[in-house]
Amino acid sequence: MNIIVNGTSHAIEVEPDMPLLWALRDILNIKGPKFGCGAGLCGACTVIIEGEAVRSCQTLVGDVIAPVRTIDGLTDAAGLHPIQKAWMDEQVAQCGYCQAGQIMSAVALLEANPSPTDDDIDTAMTGNLCRCGTYPRIRAAIHRAAGELAGA
């Protein structure tokens, strides 16, 4: 089967019921999405498919028919994505394990809603858990990135 990840097409030979996370990490060596709970509850494995933040541990690779974006594909020749810059400016990361998934959920949020309220952010980020408790910094980083993307 073929799968497009971060703009690159890959031919992979896997069972269609393999979780997307395993295909990304073990077959394609794309290590941005993390294994957290394996039950879609923590969000460490979050990727974006068709504009939606999805849990790659709960998505079967055989069901993926649209391009997949991971945190590994956010940076381009222009540099870091504005949300990555905001994450650094707000010093969000502590242990950092959940941050790839947090960032991908934040990117999906800002692409759907460029001016989110605190409630919008809280709702969009509900499925991403941070055991370090950086939620106020995450919210601040999303607001900062929204401002940067709006040209403020």
Side-chain angles (χ1 to χ4, degrees):
M1 78 180 55
N2 285 318
I3 183 170
I4 299 172
V5 182
N6 299 326
T8 302
S9 180
H10 302 272
I12 57 175
E13 292 185 31
V14 299
E15 294 296 322
D17 62 348
M18 171 185 273
L20 174 61
L21 180 61
W22 300 151
L24 293 172
R25 292 186 57 83
D26 297 343
I27 306 299
L28 299 175
N29 200 32
I30 295 172
K31 302 296 186 182
K34 305 291 187 225
F35 177 79
C37 65
L41 303 173
C42 74
C45 65
T46 302
V47 298
I48 297 175
I49 300 175
E50 294 188 304
E52 290 190 35
V54 300
R55 307 299 181 245
S56 62
C57 73
Q58 297 297 298
T59 302
L60 302 180
V61 71
D63 291 340
V64 176
I65 57 172
V68 177
R69 290 170 48 206
T70 74
I71 193 165
D72 309 271
L74 281 186
T75 302
D76 60 20
L80 294 176
H81 187 282
I83 197 75
Q84 292 172 304
K85 291 179 191 171
W87 237 249
M88 292 172 56
D89 291 342
E90 295 295 334
Q91 300 180 359
V92 173
Q94 288 192 12
C95 85
Y97 196 80
C98 70
Q99 299 304 303
Q102 299 273 3
I103 287 172
M104 294 311 288
S105 288
V107 168
L109 168 63
L110 292 177
E111 288 176 353
N113 179 358
S115 300
T117 64
D118 285 348
D119 287 343
D120 295 333
I121 293 170
D122 292 347
T123 299
M125 303 303 289
T126 295
N128 291 86
L129 303 178
C130 174
R131 67 181 180 186
C132 300
T134 62
Y135 301 110
R137 292 181 187 176
I138 289 169
R139 185 187 292 163
I142 292 171
H143 282 301
R144 180 186 286 256
E148 183 175 330
L149 288 166

